[in-house]
Amino acid sequence: MDLIIATNNEHKLDEYRALLKGYDIKIYSPNDLNLKFNPIENGKTYQANSLLKARALQKLTRLAILADDSGFEIDALDGFPGLYSNRFAKKFNNQKEANLSLIEKTKGLNKKARFICALTLINVEEEPLFFVGVANGQILDRLYGEEGFGYDPIFYSNDVSKPFGELSMEEKNRCSHRYKAIKEVIKYLLENNLIKAL
């Protein structure tokens, strides 16, 4: 199966390549196929945004497309930054500053937090297919580790009782929100004989 991941984010691409290893899936990025891909993400939900990305790429190719939208939600901040996780980070000089800002905002508050990943798979069935993965945990009071990217250094995973920032990619790929969502995609593709394990 040929599959385009609807992202220009190299970190995400690396994660997807690792997560889909071991199946007869050839993964492409829009850049690999010289596709100009820069969709406007103005959906009101993660699912809506992932569908917007998938539809934008669908205008350029007939290959199977997997698009995601993900976010980091903090209960004490009413789910913020959530849908705006990427845009919030871009307000700062770097991700570290964004992470420190969230630590400051949550001082003395409930630390419950989660990562959410909503996936849309199109050009496989007539209608889009949707999958969701959630990684529950809490926001930390300082930055941890040198691994990961984005909000990983300030997220403590309940699944593995460690910060994401201290996990290797292999460890993270066994418990992350993206792993949980892609596991459902793989299950669907296997059950429908669209892919096979190598």
Side-chain angles (χ1 to χ4, degrees), residues 152-180:
D152 288 354
I154 59 170
F155 180 71
Y156 180 89
S157 165
N158 288 348
D159 288 319
V160 291
S161 301
K162 281 175 78 173
F164 266 9
E166 291 183 347
L167 301 179
S168 67
M169 183 184 279
E170 290 75 22
E171 290 174 311
K172 185 182 170 188
N173 282 347
R174 291 195 291 268
C175 66
S176 75
H177 50 308
R178 202 160 282 123
Y179 161 76
K180 291 178 180 182

Side-chain angles (χ1 to χ4, degrees), residues 4-195:
I4 303 181
I5 308 295
T7 184
N8 296 314
N9 182 321
E10 286 300 324
H11 291 297
K12 274 191 187 180
L13 284 166
D14 287 344
E15 283 195 3
Y16 279 116
R17 285 188 180 110
L19 288 165
L20 293 166
K21 198 174 174 184
Y23 300 94
D24 61 337
I25 302 172
K26 188 160 187 185
I27 295 170
Y28 298 94
S29 71
N31 285 338
D32 290 335
L33 302 175
N34 295 314
L35 301 176
K36 300 243 182 299
F37 175 69
N38 196 18
I40 295 166
E41 298 175 45
N42 55 7
K44 297 284 189 278
T45 64
Y46 298 111
Q47 192 178 82
N49 274 337
S50 70
L51 181 59
L52 279 168
K53 293 177 196 177
R55 292 286 193 215
L57 203 48
Q58 191 178 37
K59 292 173 183 172
L60 307 172
T61 180
R62 290 184 178 181
L63 293 180
I65 297 164
L66 184 69
D68 90 2
D69 194 47
S70 51
F72 181 49
E73 297 184 349
I74 302 166
D75 281 10
L77 303 181
D78 297 323
F80 184 83
L83 271 180
Y84 308 101
S85 296
N86 194 30
R87 279 165 273 186
F88 173 73
K90 285 182 176 174
K91 291 180 181 178
F92 298 85
N93 291 320
N94 52 54
Q95 182 69 46
K96 182 178 178 181
E97 286 184 13
N99 289 344
L100 291 172
S101 169
L102 289 178
I103 288 170
E104 189 61 34
K105 286 178 189 291
T106 54
K107 267 191 179 168
L109 301 177
N110 172 9
K111 300 295 184 184
K112 198 171 178 185
R114 70 197 56 80
F115 275 110
I116 295 181
C117 174
L119 295 178
T120 299
L121 182 65
I122 60 172
N123 289 354
V124 173
E125 304 288 1
E126 282 188 31
E127 295 297 321
L129 300 164
F130 299 104
F131 307 87
V132 178
V134 180
N136 289 303
Q138 53 194 303
I139 183 170
L140 294 158
D141 55 4
R142 66 176 177 85
L143 303 172
Y144 282 79
E146 301 297 323
E147 302 294 332
F149 64 97
Y151 299 100
D152 288 354
I154 59 170
F155 180 71
Y156 180 89
S157 165
N158 288 348
D159 288 319
V160 291
S161 301
K162 281 175 78 173
F164 266 9
E166 291 183 347
L167 301 179
S168 67
M169 183 184 279
E170 290 75 22
E171 290 174 311
K172 185 182 170 188
N173 282 347
R174 291 195 291 268
C175 66
S176 75
H177 50 308
R178 202 160 282 123
Y179 161 76
K180 291 178 180 182
I182 205 74
K183 194 165 74 166
E184 295 303 310
V185 174
I186 291 167
K187 182 181 171 195
Y188 178 87
L189 294 174
L190 286 170
E191 285 175 353
N192 288 276
N193 299 312
L194 295 163
I195 62 167

